Amino acid sequence: MFTELARLDLRLRRRSMIGYAVGMAVYTFVVVALYPTFKDDAGLNEFTQGNSTMAALFGASGDLTSSAGWLNANLYANFVPLLVLLAAVGYGAACLAGQDEDGTLGVIATLPLTRRRIVAQKFGALCLTGMPVAVLTAVFVALGRGFELTVDLGHLTGITIGVLLLGIGFGALAMLIGALTGSRGLALGISSAVAAASYLISSLAPVVDWIRPARYASLFYYAVGDGQLENGLRLSSAVILLVVALALFTATVLAFDRLDVH
């Protein structure tokens, strides 16, 4: 029973995972195919310069006619993290608290598995929930070379890893809140609110001076908000994202040991 729970959970969520991935792939193809039409449009940069704060709210900043700027504004600063978070946070809130509420977690707890092994398998499944979206998006972006998009493949790989770690971090937060409270609604609501605040801080930091110092408290900043497409994912940023995810996983193990499973 080393991986059975993880495989079962992933099988139950396969439709949503496939749906998110296919939808994101179609959208990515449209974004990539439209780039030659807009790459010489100076009006895009005039918009961001004249409405910098409003543009930043939607992840649009810098040179939108460059390959990296175009992809950031239309994919990696907003939609790709959003879908990865929908998959990861949704699963994180459901895998413990949700199953406790519907009575299936009690059955799982009777299996010849320690509670720590149960959490470990579910964390393993969590690590895979956002992968189809992130990887398929990266594949279609890489094919963008046929549409005049020139993105360093190493940097593309880095931001893909950053997005995945971002999803794992917030998914692990949802797992922890679920293990502490036994409430799927609280797990989903609190982790989503924290993710939204993290997004706003990272997005507005380049244009709002008093928010800028807070960017170091935002997981979005370490994953997608620090010029990852232009400069690559910093090793220090990847380590921070990984350490946060593992710390939340460890806390979830301890909390689940104390959860009164129904």
Side-chain angles (χ1 to χ4, degrees), residues 24-50:
M24 195 69 242
V26 172
Y27 176 72
T28 301
F29 176 76
V30 172
V31 168
V32 168
L34 286 176
Y35 178 65
T37 304
F38 291 95
K39 70 183 184 69
D40 296 318
D41 187 353
L44 289 176
N45 292 327
E46 291 176 3
F47 168 74
T48 57
Q49 293 167 4

Side-chain angles (χ1 to χ4, degrees), residues 146-261:
F147 293 91
E148 303 178 52
L149 273 170
T150 54
V151 179
D152 183 276
L153 293 181
H155 297 172
L156 178 60
T157 301
I159 200 169
T160 300
I161 293 172
V163 168
L164 286 171
L165 290 174
L166 178 72
I168 294 170
F170 282 111
L173 176 61
M175 282 184 68
L176 173 59
I177 296 169
L180 288 170
T181 66
S183 170
R184 179 181 180 274
L186 279 176
L188 190 61
I190 294 174
S191 55
S192 297
V194 174
S198 178
Y199 169 78
L200 287 175
I201 290 170
S202 178
S203 297
L204 294 176
V207 296
V208 181
D209 290 339
W210 63 270
I211 292 180
R212 190 166 297 133
R215 69 189 185 278
Y216 297 113
S218 167
L219 293 186
F220 268 85
Y221 172 74
Y222 297 109
V224 299
D226 190 26
Q228 283 82 354
L229 271 179
E230 296 93 336
N231 308 311
L233 178 69
R234 299 176 189 271
L235 178 59
S236 58
S237 296
V239 169
I240 289 170
L241 290 167
L242 184 59
V243 167
V244 168
L246 292 177
L248 291 168
F249 163 68
T250 302
T252 302
V253 170
L254 298 175
F256 187 55
D257 277 339
R258 295 168 173 79
L259 181 66
D260 182 18
V261 177

Side-chain angles (χ1 to χ4, degrees), residues 73-153:
N74 292 287
L75 287 171
Y76 284 105
N78 37 55
F79 292 108
V80 180
L82 174 62
L83 287 189
V84 170
L85 287 175
L86 282 174
V89 172
Y91 173 75
C95 67
L96 294 178
Q99 291 185 353
D100 188 34
E101 289 179 344
D102 62 26
T104 57
L105 192 59
V107 177
I108 292 172
T110 65
L111 297 174
L113 292 171
T114 64
R115 287 201 173 194
R116 295 188 178 190
R117 180 63 62 81
I118 291 172
V119 175
Q121 288 203 33
K122 289 182 177 293
F123 183 75
L126 170 66
C127 293
L128 298 175
T129 53
M131 190 171 290
V133 170
V135 172
L136 203 55
T137 299
V139 168
F140 274 81
V141 169
L143 295 176
R145 292 177 177 273
F147 293 91
E148 303 178 52
L149 273 170
T150 54
V151 179
D152 183 276
L153 293 181

